Each structure stands twice: as structure tokens, then as C-alpha cells.
Amino acid sequence: MFSKNNLSASFSLAFITIFALPCNGQKTTASLITQAPAAITTSTAATSAPLRVNYDLVGETDDTTSKTLEDVAALSPDQSRELRLLGAAISDSFRESDADKRVFYRGLVSGDETDDTQGDKFVSTAEAYPGTSGRQPVGPLTGRVVFCSAGHGWTNDNTSTSLWYTQRPETNGLVEDFGNLDQMNLYADICFRAGATIVPLRPIGFQHIERVIDNVSGHAAFHGEWADSQSTSSFGFAGATVPYRYARASADDTAVARFRPVIPETDIYPVYTWVRAGADRVVQTYRIVYGGSVHEVDVDHRQVANGWVYLGSYMFKQGTSGYVEVTNQVRDAKLAAEGRVVVADAIRFGNGMGDVNRGGGISGFPREEEASRYWIERSLSPEIAPIYEGIIDRNDQSNNVGAAPRFAAHMNNENSGSFFDRIYMSFHTNASGGRGVVGLYNSHAALRPDKQIELAKLTANELNAEMTQSGLRLKKLWHVGNRLTAAHINFGEIRRDFLNNEMSATILEVAFHDDMEDAILLRQLSVRNAVAESAYRATVRYFGEVGGANLDVYSPPLTPRFMAARQGSTTGTIKLEWSPAAQDPLSSPTDVISYRVFQSTDGVVFDNGRDVGGLTSFVLSDIPSATPRYFRITAISLGGESRPSAVLGTSLSGLNRALVIQGVAMVADDAALTQTAAASLGAPLRDGGQFVRLVPRIMNNGEQVRAIGSGLGRLRLGFDSVDISRINSTDSFSTYTALCFMTGRNAVAEELATTAMLQRLNDYVTSGGHLMFSGACLAQCDDTSTDALSRWSEFSESVLQTSYAAQTTLTELIKSGDRDLTTVTLTLGDRSLQYFEPRPTEVLLAAEAGRPVLAYQGFAGAAAVGTLKDRLLRTVVLGFPLEELDDRNEQGVLAAQILMAMGLKAETIPKKNVVVEDKGKLKGKDAATSSSAGSKTAESAETTSDTTMRETR
């Protein structure tokens, strides 16, 4: 991280008509141009005031979220700091009027039909989703606000070329602008799981779709008694007649507001709320309803308001089944007795595409990849002076430095709670020589927030302790430098006057991205997770040791390892087993760890979970046999809740049973993503380059067992699943008709490559069993010894009749041969990967007794190889992760075709209503359209009952 001084010199460059190309392969209407400027410069007028998108006018499948449907008047950028502070003080002391007109919308009593103006009869969330709601975990940070920042990002060269550029160049395969963002996400996640209220200064997660619903939207519904506020401050659309609505706090659920988006794609969406500050606010409860589950999050709007507050990230299904509900019910009866109010203004689902136009067109990048000032610009109420304009007539990069701390102070109400109820933590990486961590404080004592040096030392010390004592498998040794802290610059992001000294703040310089060994570490997800863990511990220690709070440094438990989901010993039962969760060895120890079991029927969206105490195995009874069930486990302690385990599943149906082996580690350093910018890395007119990104959800989508399980479910075949570490203790393979190994993007596990295990698999196939392997790194082994790799290669060639030629980034798969797997053209990757480079998969070669069954489009190598016996598939190797097919439906269809071609009998043969020709062309009146992007077909359309295949000799 080079100069962070807010007074850094601006560049003087002659204007050149040139357009930056951010990434290869972008497929959105908001992408930067590749041919003509008109593709992105729909308006050349600079926009300095918030633009609102009215999603009543956005279709269900339209994810073009940067449309400007309504403009607001431009605001003057020369508001003084004194006026900003005065406005913030007025905002914090604002109270809703008792004289406002109240409207009684729909009564909350079930069956009440006195007012049908709001549509169908109201059904409460408790009625619609019976059972206990999930809650944000309670931990050491409950009741505290964490303002988290990630420095830099795509920035407009508004004073010269009008190009968009990153503030830091590509160095050793890293671009700091994005590494900081990935680091902030990991830190925010662990703090949220420890109970914190999170205010991100760049958006959380990676979700380029957005749905923003204002209170006047047709997607917002109100029930009970609500009043229209007369405030001049709100999030709302331009010209909105009602800024927002409010209801009196109550001990009972007497008024709710629902914000129900139209979700275009099943995926994980970060959720945020926007509420105006006021002296009569409460700890407000939000109910996030998604996929049949309900999760509650409390936000103390006495402490924080006037911008987007994070409510967590959730898997929403396509359509309108999910919503966020604001209730007037408060947990503290005292707040209800004081006549306070809850506010329903706006809810955001997803982050969207950047849509700020500084005169040369929008960036074409997701909002989270842009610098903080643009997120802040789109977060401000229209009447608020532009906080992001710190110094008038300076470039956006200079103004970005002070935007985040100013906005943190703007959202923070320093009159509620104490100085030690909030913190500002920013992540960067260093440059200009050196190695290791440095915690930053301001060079001028008068400009340091209180306790800044203490906080800087804590963050550096905790990271050094983590990297030298936690037993991490580091690719390079961590360097512990002589200098833990530094104050050589007037760091604009952590200035006392920008933060109004309302909280302490530091910048954690994680390591030096211009040092090769540090850069190798920074490209490890396990290292980045360790940084987040250490920064979390430093945050808790700061509140306790510096702030005097009675806090032990409890960390959320580490993720438990889910070992097995099997058919139980009695009819209609399922037995689940997992290993005890470990604890962070550097946090305060606790013997009290309990577990929660989450269940799903589709392996995508899970229920609220079931607490099972300290057990590490659990039996569920009365399970129907018709539908597969999927499970995951979390561990809970005084520190909060762990991340969910891997997903395992089972189905009790069918005489033929399969065993699914989950061979994917939750954290795989080698599964890092790569992203490419064609130009403008580090400066408007510089070259582009390729760099690493660490986004866990995309690196491992966690759907390996679901992908094959959905195919088994189509055929009504039973299956169990186990973690790869349990494979050696599986008593007998003979009870299973097929073994399905799902290795994702991990190397072949050491447990699989032993002499004894390979002999067992050989005997299993010889005696009539079937093997299936799916993965992208099948030519590699966790055991890096030459012997292990030699054993695995010999087994692959002799039993699987497969060798590994190379890797490819081709994404289109077609069938190979005349009557092999009947399928349309398949596409690897999904919409969330569109800003990343295609990830490599195996190119396979068939040995003498093997045959290709899938090929890469326009490429000689095979994507899948099978062996035949008695005209049935005996083994199949997929050189790609099955779960990474673009369409979940096609994952199940392909898996079902493979299993049927193996001769596994279905209780009910799916209806065959489509005939598919060799090159993905469809016949029949119900044929779906095939394209290079993959075909979206009816659920059972491509499954065929033809189980015979030609055998090659």
C-alpha cells in the first residue's frame, strides 16, 4: 500500500480517448466496451447525487442493475465539515412526530378480513414457517459495531482521462485493491458469527445482482398500524411521497413490513437494511426468510443508522419466496414502554454493478470491486452533503481516502453507548520493501484517534502469534519483523478529524505484496483466514484490555468435520456422525461446545437447524424414503458459531444403493480463483494483468454430494455419504452398487492413494461394482511422494483405463461417440464466475479398453472416460467437478444418465420426451433451445432409460 495520504499528488495526463477493458469473458450489459464506446457511455453527464433504481420496473430475469430509471437533482459538493457535523447531530436527535397520520394496513390476527386492500389474507411468518427461528449467533461482539474497510478499488480518473483504474498495480500475482476486499470479507464473516453488527465500507460478498426495495415499492407490503414519516431524510426514490414508515415498538408482534424481491437466480445474496437515525430508535429485529427458513438479526439503531447495515448472507431461491420482514416487536419491554419506534425504509439484496458516472461512463464492474466512495455515494440520503467529496476539485482517489472514515462517523451515533462500543478496522497490504505485518497509526499525534497505538500493536501482535503458533501449513515461513507499528504518513483513512474521534481505528498492513515470499502467503486462503481470525481476536482484546469490558477472548469454534450420513440400523432412520470441533488455540479455552444440525431436501437451501447439545452423532427417525436428505453441522460456543461443515446426504429409497465419498476440503489453497483486467492496473494508462482472488463460496460451492445425489434422487436410488477420511473404515463396499468419489478441485486424498485402498477398489470392480470419479485435479495427490502418485497413476491406467494428458480451460462439453451419454451441450462455470478466468479441468486419454464418453467442444481430448462390461458402464472418470456444471438441473440429469448406463435400476423411469442429436440439437415440440451458454431444459427432459452402450475392444 503506497501513499495513503489524503493530500497525495494528482496525475497530470493528457486526455486520450481510450477505454479500459476490465476482464475477459464478461457477459453483462453493464460490461465495459470491447468495440464501441456507446456500449457504456449511455450518458456523458456526471452524476454526483444518489441514483435510485425502482425494481417494480425490473423483470424477474433482468439483472442489469445499473439502469438509471430515476435521477435526483445534483448536490453541491462544497458543503463544509461543520455543516456535515451539524447535520449528523440533527439526524441523531431527530424524533418521529406523534401527529403523523397512521394507517392500519392488514390486521395481524389470522383470518381477519376487515381490510382486503392489501391483497390476500395476511399470514404471519410464525404461521407460515412454524418452529424456532434461527438467530445471529451471540458472542463477545454482540452489541458492538464493527466498521470494516478495504482500501482502494476501481477508481475513475475524473480529472484527466475519465478512465477507470485500480489504485495499485499487479504485483506477484496480486492486486491490492481486490486482496483487501477478500480479506475484509473474511474478517466481517467471523465478527458477524461472533455477534457483531457489521457496517462494511465496501460491499460484503460477491454478488453482482441487486434488488433494492424502498418502502413505496410494490414489492413492500405493510401490515398493522404504520405511520408515514415527515422526515426529509431517507433512502427513497426521487420524488417518493413517503420517505419511510414507522410503527410504535411493542412487546407483541402487532405491525410488520415485508420487503419481497424478485430473485432472478438461486444464489447467496448479502442483505442490508437502511434506516434513518433518530433519538427514538430501538434494537430492531429483522426476519430474513429464505428457502423455507427464518433467520433473525437484531440491529441497535440507537447506535448505527443512515447507511447500509449488513444483515448476513443467505441462499435465496429464484422467484419471490424469500423476503425480509421488519417487526415492531422488541425483545426489551422497556423500549416499548418508552414509546420508541421501528423504521421500515429500504432493504437491499445483493450488491449490484457500479453505476456511478463521473462523465466518462460507468465502470462496468461489480460495486464491491469499486473504491469505497462510490458505495458511499449510492448509500447517502439525497439531502446529505457528499461526504465522499473531502477536498473539492481533487481526484476521486484522493477523496476516496477520507470517504470511509467520514461515512463511519456519519452512520455512528456517538451519543449511544461508549467509545469502546465500536471500532474501525481497515485492511491493506504493504509495498516498498520489507516483509511481515505492520499496524498503522497516524504520524501526527494530534490527528490520532484515542487508543490508536494500542489498537495497532494488538492487531500486529495477534497476527504474528497466529502465524507462528497455530500450526498452519505455510508455503513460506512467516517473517516476524522488528517493527510492529508504523506512523510515517498522515494516514487519511485513520485520521481523528475524519472519524470525529468517535471510535479508534487502525490499518492492518497484512504483509508486503511486493515481496515474493509474502505474496505466496497472501495467495493462500488458509493464510487469509488466519489473518481474519487474528484481527477478530485483536478486536475483542481491544474492547476488553483497552476498553475495560469484561470480555474473555473467545473465538467461534472451528468448523466441525462431518464424517458420515448413513441409513440407520432401523427402518426409517438416518445416522449422522461428525468429529468434535476444535478451538482456536490462541483464544480463551471453553469446554462448552454444542452442535446444530441443518437439514435440506435439495442440498441448496437449509432449514433453521436443530440443536443436539454436545453430541457428535445423532439419529433422525421417521424419515420418508422418497426424497434425499442433505445435512450440514455447525459448532456453537461462547465465541459464537462456526462456519457450516461440508454437506453430506443420504436417501433411504431403492434396493440399489450407492456410496458417495466427499473428498473436498473446506479450505483448499490450490483452488484460488484468477481474474484478469485487460488494462489500467495501477494507473489509467497502464497495462492489465492476471491476479489471484480468494472468494471461498466460489472456490468451493459445497454442492458436491448434492450434485450426484440429485441424480440418484431422480432414479429413486438410495445412497449414503462419507467424508474421504472415513473411507478406510468403511467395512465393506459390497453392499453398494456404486462408489462415487467427488473430489472437486482438491488433489486425490492420501487415504485414497494407499496400496491397500487401491487394491480394495480393484477387487470391488472385479466383483461387479461400479466406480465414478469427478474432479479437476485427478492427476495430483495430497501425498506428494513419488510412490503415491505412481500407485494412483497405475490404478487409473489399469482399472479406470484413463491417463491424464493436460489441463484445459475450455468450458463447453459435448457427448463423444454415437450412443454414449445423451445430452445437450453442457457448460462449466456459473454466473458468479463471470468476472473470473475459467478454471482448469483435466484432459483425459482413454487407454485400450477405455472409451471417451464426453469431449470438450472443439478439442481432441476427452472430458470423461468410461469402461464397459456386458454393454454397461463399469467405471466413469469425469475430468471436471460435476457440481460446476452451469445448470443444477443438468448436473442431476448427467449423473442419472451415468448411473443408468451403469445398470442401476430405477423404481420409476423418468418420462422421456426429448430426443437429442449429437451436437446438442433437439427434436420434438418441447425441445429446449441449446446455445453455447448451456441449455436450460425441463427437469426430466434429457434423462433416458436406454442403459445399453457399445463396448470397444
Side-chain angles (χ1 to χ4, degrees), residues 266 315 604 697 703 706 885-892:
T266 298
M315 179 71 81
V604 178
R697 167 65 186 170
E703 296 188 22
R706 185 217 62 80
L885 288 180
D886 181 59
D887 185 89
R888 287 189 177 96
N889 174 59
E890 290 172 348
Q891 297 169 11

Side-chain angles (χ1 to χ4, degrees), residues 452-732:
Q452 187 173 68
I453 296 177
E454 292 87 338
L455 178 57
K457 287 181 178 179
L458 273 173
T459 54
N461 271 320
E462 284 299 316
L463 182 50
N464 279 334
E466 180 78 20
M467 293 302 179
T468 56
Q469 298 182 36
S470 66
L472 286 174
R473 297 174 63 180
L474 302 179
K475 295 182 178 180
K476 297 291 180 180
L477 288 177
W478 182 258
H479 176 77
V480 178
N482 296 323
R483 184 184 63 172
L484 288 177
T485 59
H488 54 282
I489 298 175
N490 172 17
F491 295 102
E493 192 177 3
I494 52 174
R495 281 175 52 154
R496 181 188 185 98
D497 54 341
F498 290 177
L499 286 158
N500 302 327
N501 199 37
E502 295 180 15
M503 66 196 80
S504 197
T506 189
I507 293 171
L508 180 61
E509 296 275 16
V510 175
F512 283 72
H513 56 252
D514 64 347
D515 177 87
M516 179 61 75
E517 293 190 348
D518 269 11
I520 290 172
L521 292 170
L522 290 169
R523 296 198 299 264
Q524 282 189 250
L525 179 59
S526 55
V527 168
R528 292 291 195 166
N529 274 321
V531 173
E533 179 74 34
S534 71
Y536 160 77
R537 283 199 314 271
T539 300
V540 179
R541 289 191 187 279
Y542 167 77
F543 288 133
E545 297 170 13
V546 181
N550 184 21
L551 288 177
D552 287 312
V553 188
Y554 291 116
S555 295
L558 303 181
T559 304
R561 190 160 185 173
F562 195 0
M563 304 305 292
R566 303 177 188 266
Q567 179 177 250
S569 57
T570 58
T571 303
T573 62
I574 294 174
K575 185 176 182 180
L576 311 177
E577 302 172 74
W578 57 92
S579 295
Q583 293 182 264
D584 173 11
L586 300 180
S587 71
S588 303
T590 173
D591 296 328
V592 183
I593 295 182
S594 62
Y595 300 92
R596 183 170 292 149
V597 175
F598 298 83
Q599 187 173 165
S600 170
T601 57
D602 63 6
V604 178
V605 179
F606 287 78
D607 66 8
N608 294 322
R610 177 174 181 175
D611 292 320
V612 297
L615 300 173
T616 55
S617 66
F618 190 72
V619 176
L620 295 95
S621 57
D622 300 324
I623 303 297
S625 62
T627 305
R629 297 296 177 98
Y630 303 91
F631 305 91
R632 63 187 186 191
I633 315 294
T634 62
I636 302 166
S637 74
L638 295 174
E641 189 168 9
S642 73
R643 294 188 180 104
S645 71
V647 174
L648 296 182
T650 186
S651 174
L652 305 181
S653 62
L655 298 176
N656 289 315
R657 295 187 64 76
L659 180 64
V660 180
I661 298 93
Q662 155 69 309
V664 181
M666 294 297 291
V667 177
D669 291 333
D670 294 332
L673 305 168
T674 55
Q675 189 171 349
T676 296
S680 301
L681 290 181
L685 300 179
R686 281 187 180 168
D687 293 336
Q690 189 176 79
F691 45 92
V692 167
R693 295 294 307 276
L694 299 172
V695 186
R697 167 65 186 170
I698 300 176
M699 292 166 65
N700 173 16
N701 67 17
E703 296 188 22
Q704 291 79 21
V705 173
R706 185 217 62 80
I708 186 70
S710 63
L712 288 158
R714 286 172 178 272
L715 302 179
R716 297 185 180 273
L717 296 171
F719 68 94
D720 297 329
S721 57
V722 297
D723 184 81
I724 187 68
S725 62
R726 276 288 175 90
I727 190 66
N728 285 308
S729 60
T730 301
D731 294 334
S732 175

Side-chain angles (χ1 to χ4, degrees), residues 198-213:
I198 302 295
V199 180
L201 284 314
R202 281 170 74 178
I204 294 286
F206 194 94
Q207 181 51 263
H208 76 274
I209 297 171
E210 69 178 354
R211 292 292 182 263
V212 182
I213 301 177

Side-chain angles (χ1 to χ4, degrees), residues 54-56 105 118 212-223 237 245 256-262 323-324 326 344-347 349:
N54 184 350
Y55 283 97
D56 289 344
Y105 289 88
Q118 296 299 305
V212 182
I213 301 177
D214 189 52
N215 63 284
V216 297
S217 167
H219 295 287
F222 290 79
H223 306 274
F237 300 141
R245 294 190 172 97
V256 299
R258 287 183 185 167
F259 297 78
R260 187 185 298 273
V262 178
Y323 60 85
V324 170
V326 178
D345 188 346
I347 299 291
F349 303 81

Side-chain angles (χ1 to χ4, degrees), residues 265-283:
E265 185 80 11
T266 298
D267 203 356
I268 287 182
Y269 292 79
V271 180
Y272 311 82
T273 180
W274 205 106
V275 165
R276 188 212 196 282
D280 54 358
R281 302 311 191 236
V282 298
V283 181

Side-chain angles (χ1 to χ4, degrees), residues 135 142-143 197 249-250 280-286 297-303 327-332 335-336 340-343 416:
R135 292 275 310 274
T142 296
T197 294
S250 171
D280 54 358
R281 302 311 191 236
V282 298
V283 181
Q284 191 161 304
T285 297
Y286 296 86
V297 177
D298 293 344
V299 176
D300 190 346
H301 286 301
R302 299 171 301 181
Q303 290 183 313
T327 175
N328 72 330
Q329 184 178 35
V330 292
R331 305 186 197 279
D332 185 349
L335 295 178
R340 294 175 176 268
V341 301
V342 299
V343 172
S416 178

Side-chain angles (χ1 to χ4, degrees), residues 118-276:
Q118 296 299 305
D120 295 336
K121 181 171 62 178
F122 177 78
V123 178
S124 70
T125 296
E127 265 187 295
Y129 303 93
T132 304
S133 296
R135 292 275 310 274
Q136 180 185 4
V138 174
L141 296 183
T142 296
R144 289 179 168 83
V145 183
V146 174
F147 294 89
C148 47
S149 177
H152 314 308
W154 287 107
T155 305
N156 188 257
D157 183 27
N158 60 300
T159 60
S160 182
T161 66
S162 295
L163 295 174
W164 289 83
Y165 66 98
T166 62
Q167 296 179 24
R168 298 296 181 261
E170 181 275 320
T171 309
N172 294 321
L174 298 167
V175 173
E176 186 192 347
D177 304 53
F178 308 125
N180 297 340
L181 174 66
D182 296 343
Q183 187 67 72
M184 183 196 78
N185 276 300
L186 296 171
Y187 171 73
D189 171 67
I190 191 171
C191 290
F192 186 81
R193 290 186 288 107
T197 294
I198 302 295
V199 180
L201 284 314
R202 281 170 74 178
I204 294 286
F206 194 94
Q207 181 51 263
H208 76 274
I209 297 171
E210 69 178 354
R211 292 292 182 263
V212 182
I213 301 177
D214 189 52
N215 63 284
V216 297
S217 167
H219 295 287
F222 290 79
H223 306 274
E225 191 175 77
W226 290 86
D228 295 349
S229 177
Q230 301 304 306
S231 168
T232 59
S233 176
S234 70
F235 178 79
F237 300 141
T241 56
V242 179
Y244 56 85
R245 294 190 172 97
Y246 65 92
R248 293 296 166 185
S250 171
D252 300 313
D253 211 24
T254 61
V256 299
R258 287 183 185 167
F259 297 78
R260 187 185 298 273
V262 178
I263 296 295
E265 185 80 11
T266 298
D267 203 356
I268 287 182
Y269 292 79
V271 180
Y272 311 82
T273 180
W274 205 106
V275 165
R276 188 212 196 282

